[in-house]
Every structure is written in structure tokens, then in C-alpha cells.
Amino acid sequence: MNAILGNKYLRNVLYGFLAWLIPFAASLLFYTREGRLTIDVFLFKSIMIVVGSVSAGFLLVSYFKTINADHLRESVFIGLAWFFINIALDLLVLVPMSGMSVPDYFAQIGLRYLVIPAMSITVGMALKNKK
């Protein structure tokens, strides 16, 4: 595990996967075995936005603890990588599970993943300006 965490590219992929897995796992708590949502859909979406943002925020802080240079460039790279990892995993897992069409998915869920590069670039700018 130390070898993975020491390699920033492997860590990037692992953290991108965790940025997807944590909200996905949390979402399962709100569905019955039959796939019915147990709470109001708007409350569920709000919870998912908060869980995704908080978990991504902690992952970004953890990731950037070992980055000592080129913070802004690294933040653009990490934000775009995590964005595409999350979209790809959703297209592989969530879209088939939910039966959503791809356009509906992007309108209802996919577009929200733009918060990841927005957060990472903000972190990168803050770190760059700190020096």
C-alpha cells in the first residue's frame, strides 16, 4: 500500500476511485433491496452533494499534503482526472443500474461532477498563492 501512496499517479487514480465510491456507498443506505428510494428525491440529491463534496475535500487535502510544487498545474490535472474517473464509473455502474438514459444522467448527475475540478483548482490556487 505504501508503494501505491508513494506514486502520485497511482494515488491519483485511487483517490479518484474513492471520490466515486464513498458517495456511491453512502447512496446505498437510502435504497431498499428492490431499488426504491426511502427518502424524498430532493433530500437524497442534497445529501449526495454534501457527501461527495466533503469526501472529495478531504481526499484533496490528503492528496496535496505530499505535493510540494506546481500546485496549480497539479490541481487542474487531479480535478480533470477525478472528474473523468467519476463519469466513467457512473457510466459503467450507475447508469446501467438505474436504467437512465445517458442524456438524463448528464442532466441529473454528471454535470454535478464539475464541482471536483472547481474544488481542486481552488485548492491549487490557494496553495500557489500561499508561497
Side-chain angles (χ1 to χ4, degrees):
M1 188 66 156
N2 239 2
I4 290 173
L5 295 179
N7 181 318
K8 80 174 186 177
Y9 300 107
L10 289 176
R11 199 162 34 103
N12 180 346
V13 172
L14 174 64
Y15 281 29
F17 173 71
L18 288 173
W20 176 84
L21 182 63
I22 293 167
F24 179 77
S27 75
L28 297 176
L29 299 172
F30 300 100
Y31 281 91
T32 65
R33 289 182 185 222
E34 296 77 32
R36 285 191 316 264
L37 194 56
T38 60
I39 61 174
D40 177 73
V41 67
F42 296 109
L43 176 59
F44 173 75
K45 289 179 180 188
S46 294
I47 291 169
M48 290 299 96
I49 290 169
V50 171
V51 169
S53 297
V54 169
S55 59
F58 278 107
L59 289 166
L60 284 168
V61 168
S62 176
Y63 183 85
F64 276 101
K65 282 183 180 179
T66 61
I67 304 299
N68 298 315
D70 298 322
H71 292 106
L72 187 55
R73 191 183 94 232
E74 189 70 27
S75 70
V76 171
F77 175 73
I78 200 87
L80 292 175
W82 292 8
F83 172 79
F84 288 114
I85 289 168
N86 277 261
I87 294 293
L89 289 169
D90 272 3
L91 291 174
L92 288 170
V93 178
L94 184 63
V95 170
M97 275 179 58
S98 69
M100 289 179 129
S101 70
V102 173
D104 283 346
Y105 160 77
F106 277 104
Q108 295 179 28
I109 298 169
L111 191 60
R112 293 176 186 179
Y113 284 125
L114 288 173
V115 76
I116 295 172
M119 287 174 62
S120 71
I121 293 168
T122 303
V123 168
M125 289 174 64
L127 291 170
K128 179 184 178 205
N129 290 335
K130 184 179 177 186
K131 293 203 170 207

